[in-house]
Amino acid sequence: MAFRAATVFSQTVVCCLCLFVALAVSQIHHIGSGEEPTNPPCIFTLVESIPENMTYSANDRRLMSTYDAHMRLLDRANSSIHLASFYWTLRGSDTEVHDYSSVQGEDIFQKLSDIVKGGEMDVNIVQNSTSNETDELAASGARVRTINFPKLLNAGVLHTKMWIVDDQHAYIGSANFDWRSYTQVKEIGILIENCPTLVKDAKNIFDIYWYLSNETIPTVPAQLPDDLTPETTYQSPMPLVYYNETQGRVALSSSPPPFCPSGRLQDIDAIIHVIQAANKFIYISVMDYLPLVIYTRPEQFWPVIDNELRKAAYERHVSVYLMASKWPHTKVDMYAFLMSLYDLKRAKVHRIDIQVKLFTVPSTPEQKQIPFARVNHNKFMVTENHAYIGTSNWSGDYFVNTGGVGFTLEEPDDGVLDGSNVREQLVDVFLRDWNSTYTEYVY
């Protein structure tokens, strides 16, 4: 899939990250202890791409653009850059249709190319398939590996979109290494700055990709090497994050299961945990929603997420608002599954509030000619307790045999809706989109 950004101003949440780490007991700070964290301030910033010709009202939430976030990471790089990617088409010349809006992607590629040619930084790239762009970067000095999912797992792809800079800063989100991700596709992600322990955990996921992309490894070993075990675990201990005098917890999840060493939270488990913890509302914005495994034959029914949403609405009376994408590549079966969720509203005995909408990115005749563009490519969920931002579409393939990463922030509603934290901002973004002229109910 392809994807983008519009330059707007940022909403930043400053926090101090203090993690329970077995090898750094001296830095432990318990919630409520009143102690000041010893780690430097950590900044989490929601970032997004708004396709050209899409407009919102002046009062709607605006975020930092994906382009600005990625350029900021490159500007801050001093020693190392690690990139995990699905594919590379940052230059307009690498797509079927050339468009002036490729300029932001080309800026990013030129900046990265200049860094590689400078020879002063360690640049490492793991990709799903080879490309002209990464071949050029490799020729200039970058270390590039291609991970072979069909060989390792007999199916799947590396679908991760992750940037890691100096082991201090990172980006995780829906935006591919594609000029369309900045100007022609709607994207969302999280920019993480000054968070060495959390970013070290992201680097651990990258290191697993790097290890498994070694051509001498025929398949995923039953047990990954000990040095690939995550620094922290989701269950206990787990990162503790301090936000503007409030507190929360954050964890990184990964897929597929064979890529998750002991202690690593699996991506599907993170999503299920967020759904099960909700008692008021669940807002979901994803490109694809299909309770199926669709890229292997025969297709299989995979109702893991679907069952949890139905259970939340039926048993706990949680309001479930689901927004999926409508574009030329939408699979026809998705409409039937969305309708089946929406039909639960007809239940007479129990109060069930499930709303389902389709989001369409408008296109001019010229924009319609751009391949794999003009789509809401978001992959996020937000509740009264959690914010989840991932790199995977919501069908079974992405959690069973495809590489992906998720960022989960637990930040319960404190009753003060001032938009000062990531979770509240994500609620604003969802409702902005939900109530926009770009959506329609599924009927």
Side-chain angles (χ1 to χ4, degrees):
M1 308 294 152
F3 314 98
R4 131 30 118 149
T7 305
V8 281
F9 48 88
S10 64
Q11 303 287 335
T12 326
V13 177
V14 179
C15 58
C16 293
L17 182 64
C18 184
L19 297 157
F20 283 108
V21 181
L23 298 179
V25 177
S26 62
Q27 294 188 6
I28 291 177
H29 288 264
H30 297 278
I31 288 180
S33 67
E35 299 178 73
E36 289 295 322
T38 59
N39 287 340
C42 172
I43 303 172
F44 291 172
T45 307
L46 277 179
V47 302
E48 69 176 346
S49 300
I50 303 295
E52 290 188 337
N53 298 348
M54 271 189 64
T55 59
Y56 293 99
S57 72
N59 296 324
D60 284 331
R61 172 73 65 181
R62 294 292 190 276
L63 304 176
M64 177 188 287
S65 74
T66 309
Y67 168 77
D68 285 345
H70 289 173
M71 190 61 79
R72 180 174 174 82
L73 286 172
L74 294 177
D75 285 340
R76 299 197 69 174
N78 291 307
S79 59
S80 66
I81 298 173
H82 294 79
L83 306 172
S85 63
F86 182 23
Y87 65 92
W88 288 68
T89 51
L90 285 169
R91 300 177 302 195
S93 59
D94 290 328
T95 54
E96 300 170 28
V97 176
H98 303 170
D99 187 84
Y100 72 93
S101 64
S102 64
V103 63
Q104 291 188 351
E106 290 169 359
D107 282 350
I108 295 290
F109 182 80
Q110 187 62 54
K111 178 79 171 181
L112 182 59
S113 180
D114 290 344
I115 289 173
V116 173
K117 290 175 181 177
E120 296 181 357
M121 285 190 230
D122 182 23
V123 179
N124 299 275
I125 298 168
V126 172
Q127 60 187 356
N128 179 69
S129 57
T130 59
S131 73
N132 293 333
E133 293 176 4
T134 53
D135 285 347
E136 289 183 25
L137 293 173
S140 297
R143 294 199 299 166
V144 179
R145 287 186 178 182
T146 301
I147 189 167
N148 189 334
F149 266 73
K151 181 189 76 170
L152 294 170
L153 296 174
N154 297 318
V157 296
L158 179 64
H159 199 252
T160 298
K161 308 92 167 59
M162 182 166 65
W163 297 55
I164 299 170
V165 168
D166 292 352
D167 294 336
Q168 300 283 325
H169 323 294
Y171 166 89
I172 294 171
S174 63
N176 285 301
F177 291 71
D178 185 333
W179 64 267
R180 292 162 290 189
S181 293
Y182 299 114
T183 57
Q184 296 296 334
V185 174
K186 193 168 182 297
E187 311 278 12
I188 203 155
I190 188 80
L191 174 65
I192 303 164
E193 298 177 275
N194 302 329
C195 293
T197 311
L198 184 60
V199 174
K200 187 176 182 181
D201 208 31
K203 176 61 163 43
N204 176 272
I205 295 173
F206 179 92
D207 288 344
I208 290 173
Y209 299 156
W210 191 260
Y211 167 76
L212 292 174
S213 62
N214 187 323
E215 294 181 355
T216 64
I217 297 176
T219 187
V220 182
Q223 182 173 346
L224 293 167
D226 290 341
D227 60 351
L228 298 178
T229 301
E231 291 291 320
T232 59
T233 64
Y234 179 72
Q235 295 81 6
S236 179
M238 181 185 171
L240 302 182
V241 186
Y242 291 72
Y243 286 98
N244 298 340
E245 300 181 356
T246 65
Q247 54 204 21
R249 301 197 299 174
V250 65
L252 299 182
S253 54
S254 180
S255 64
F259 283 35
C260 295
S262 176
R264 170 66 63 200
L265 176 66
Q266 293 185 23
D267 208 16
I268 185 58
D269 291 338
I271 290 173
I272 297 306
H273 170 77
V274 171
I275 294 172
Q276 291 179 344
N279 289 302
K280 295 180 181 179
F281 65 86
I282 301 170
Y283 297 157
I284 299 166
S285 179
V286 291
M287 187 179 77
D288 291 337
Y289 179 86
L290 281 158
L292 300 171
V293 175
I294 56 177
Y295 295 113
T296 58
R297 294 293 179 268
E299 292 187 0
Q300 300 172 31
F301 187 49
W302 191 85
V304 177
I305 297 174
D306 202 64
N307 284 346
E308 290 297 334
L309 292 177
R310 292 168 187 268
K311 185 175 181 179
Y314 195 87
E315 294 185 359
R316 304 196 306 277
H317 307 298
V318 178
S319 294
V320 176
Y321 287 21
L322 194 159
M323 186 162 51
S325 294
K326 182 179 180 181
W327 68 314
H329 300 280
T330 298
K331 291 179 172 52
V332 175
D333 286 350
M334 187 178 81
Y335 299 119
F337 286 113
L338 293 177
M339 276 296 301
S340 72
L341 270 174
Y342 191 70
D343 278 347
L344 287 178
K345 288 175 58 66
R346 299 181 183 181
K348 302 298 183 183
V349 177
H350 292 269
R351 175 180 59 82
I352 295 179
D353 182 21
I354 296 182
Q355 309 282 343
V356 182
K357 282 188 172 184
L358 297 170
F359 191 104
T360 301
V361 175
S363 302
T364 65
E366 293 75 20
Q367 289 167 339
K368 287 181 179 179
Q369 302 306 310
I370 302 173
F372 295 100
R374 313 304 296 178
V375 64
N376 181 9
H377 192 237
N378 290 350
K379 297 110 169 44
F380 75 82
M381 170 171 53
V382 61
T383 74
E384 78 277 7
N385 297 312
H386 292 88
Y388 168 87
I389 297 171
T391 68
S392 294
N393 297 308
W394 282 23
S395 70
D397 310 75
Y398 291 89
F399 307 105
V400 173
N401 53 33
T402 295
V405 179
F407 169 96
T408 303
L409 172 66
E410 180 181 355
E411 192 170 36
D413 186 357
D414 60 4
V416 181
L417 299 177
D418 57 4
S420 64
N421 63 53
V422 166
R423 190 194 63 79
E424 288 180 7
Q425 291 174 22
L426 204 55
V427 169
D428 287 349
V429 169
F430 178 87
L431 293 177
R432 177 200 69 190
D433 291 349
W434 182 266
N435 295 315
S436 72
T437 58
Y438 307 116
T439 63
E440 59 181 320
Y441 279 101
V442 174
Y443 292 111

